[in-house]
Structure formats: structure tokens, C-alpha cells
């Protein structure tokens, strides 16, 4: 097993991998399928607990003390998808990664054996994190340790990668009574 550092990458030794992200607090883990321009094709390429499957990528709920995971089957990822970004954010609203050290483990999805681990260093005000990328380079799938934080939560990550995020509706102003004639 390889301990990864930010920016490091490894070739994947399995066609099906699971990336789980564990921390001392509950995390929401999600995956985004990206094209060469670094964007999703549509909102269907955002895989998470409310949309648990997409082409070649599945969200797996951890349950109990087991962490959530994103499972990637590189043999069924559609042509044109060059990267799957695995993200995490604390489940509690407004909680940051300050004092929380999440660890991502890349595993062989068929036998559960660990391929690599990555713990992003020096986290603070971030409320969401791009943890690991599974990407295609010269016909081979690899994993890269990222650790890029966002202070504007999962919505910030989703927006950066082209997912439409619904904003809360603005309050409607009450009608102004007509002035007497």
C-alpha cells in the first residue's frame, strides 16, 4: 500500500476501485464525472447519496462506523469521461475541516484490499474538499492525491465543475398598496 502526498499519483492495479473517506465526524462523499474540459456533461454526472449511480460510478453508503465511498468501474466509464473527482464535506451544516483529518483510502473494489491512502495536510476553514481524482492518462487509469479545499462547501465544488446548484428562492416582496387618487 502506498501513502500518497498532495499531487502524487499512482497507476491503478485494479479495474474496479472504491475510494472511501473516513474522519472522526460523519462526511458526505460524492463523485463527479468530468470531461476533458474539467466539467460534468450534465447534473446526472454528480453522484452522491440522493443520486447514487451513474455510468461507471456508484455511491456506496458506509453505515455505522464504515465511511461512504465512491466506486469506479473503469471498464464501464463512458468514452469522453477522463476524470472522476471524489469529494468530501462534513455532514454537519457549517462545520469546517479544522481539527479533522480525513483519510481517503483507494481500494480494490472486488477484494477490499488497500491500494493507497491519502490524508490532506493543514486543513482549516474548508467546508468541502476535492480529495482524490481517478483519471485516464495515455490509456491507463491512475489515482492522484489532491486535497484542495473549498470554503463555500459542496456547492462551490459543484459549481466549479459545472453542476447546476439551485439557489434558495428570494423572498417575494409584499405588493405595495396603490396610492389613493
Amino acid at each position: 500500500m502506498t501513502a500518497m502526498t498532495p499531487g502524487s499519483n499512482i497507476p491503478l492495479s485494479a479495474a474496479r476501485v472504491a475510494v472511501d473517506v473516513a474522519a472522526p465526524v460523519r462526511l458526505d462523499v460524492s463523485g463527479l464525472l468530468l470531461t476533458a474540459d474539467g466539467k460534468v456533461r450534465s447534473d446526472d454526472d454528480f453522484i452522491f447519496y440522493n443520486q447514487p449511480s451513474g455510468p461507471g460510478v456508484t455511491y456506496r453508503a458506509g453505515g455505522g462506523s464504515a465511511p461512504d465511498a465512491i466506486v469506479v468501474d473503469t471498464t464501464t466509464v463512458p468514452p469522453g469521461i477522463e476524470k472522476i473527482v471524489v469529494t468530501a464535506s462534513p455532514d454537519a451544516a457549517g462545520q469546517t475541516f479544522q481539527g479533522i483529518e480525513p483519510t481517503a483510502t483507494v481500494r480494490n473494489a472486488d477484494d477490499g484490499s488497500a491500494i493507497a491512502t491519502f490524508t490532506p495536510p493543514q486543513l482549516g476553514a474548508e467546508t468541502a474538499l476535492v480529495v482524490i481524482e481517478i483519471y485516464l492518462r495515455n490509456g491507463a487509469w491512475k489515482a492522484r492525491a489532491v486535497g484542495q479545499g473549498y470554503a463555500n462547501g459542496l456547492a462551490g465544488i459543484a459549481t466549479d465543475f459545472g453542476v447546476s446548484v439551485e439557489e434558495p428562492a428570494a423572498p417575494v416582496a409584499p405588493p405595495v398598496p396603490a396610492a389613493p387618487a
Side-chain angles (χ1 to χ4, degrees):
M1 182 179 59
T2 302
M4 300 178 78
T5 57
S8 66
N9 63 63
I10 59 165
L12 292 178
S13 57
R16 285 180 15 92
V17 295
V19 179
D20 62 57
V21 187
V25 300
R26 179 93 178 109
L27 297 177
D28 289 329
V29 177
S30 57
L32 294 122
L33 289 77
L34 307 178
T35 60
D37 68 356
K39 302 287 184 191
V40 296
R41 297 169 300 179
S42 74
D43 291 355
D44 292 340
D45 286 343
F46 182 36
I47 309 304
F48 64 112
Y49 61 90
N50 275 344
Q51 184 167 283
S53 64
V57 180
T58 307
Y59 165 84
R60 187 179 69 209
S65 62
D68 293 355
I70 295 296
V71 180
V72 179
D73 183 344
T74 60
T75 64
T76 61
V77 171
I81 296 298
E82 295 188 6
K83 185 185 300 180
I84 295 91
V85 174
V86 178
T87 69
S89 58
D91 187 46
Q95 183 172 13
T96 69
F97 277 102
Q98 180 73 46
I100 298 171
E101 287 194 339
T103 297
T105 304
V106 180
R107 299 180 187 281
N108 178 321
D110 294 325
D111 67 15
S113 61
I115 298 169
T117 61
F118 173 59
T119 302
Q122 302 170 335
L123 297 175
E126 299 89 347
T127 55
L129 191 62
V130 172
V131 188
I132 295 273
E133 295 174 345
I134 304 298
Y135 68 100
L136 185 61
R137 171 88 72 206
N138 297 326
W141 286 95
K142 298 182 172 196
R144 175 181 298 122
V146 180
Q148 177 184 348
Y150 285 72
N152 53 349
L154 195 51
I157 289 176
T159 301
D160 273 4
F161 292 118
V163 176
S164 299
V165 177
E166 292 182 18
E167 296 294 328
V172 177
V176 177

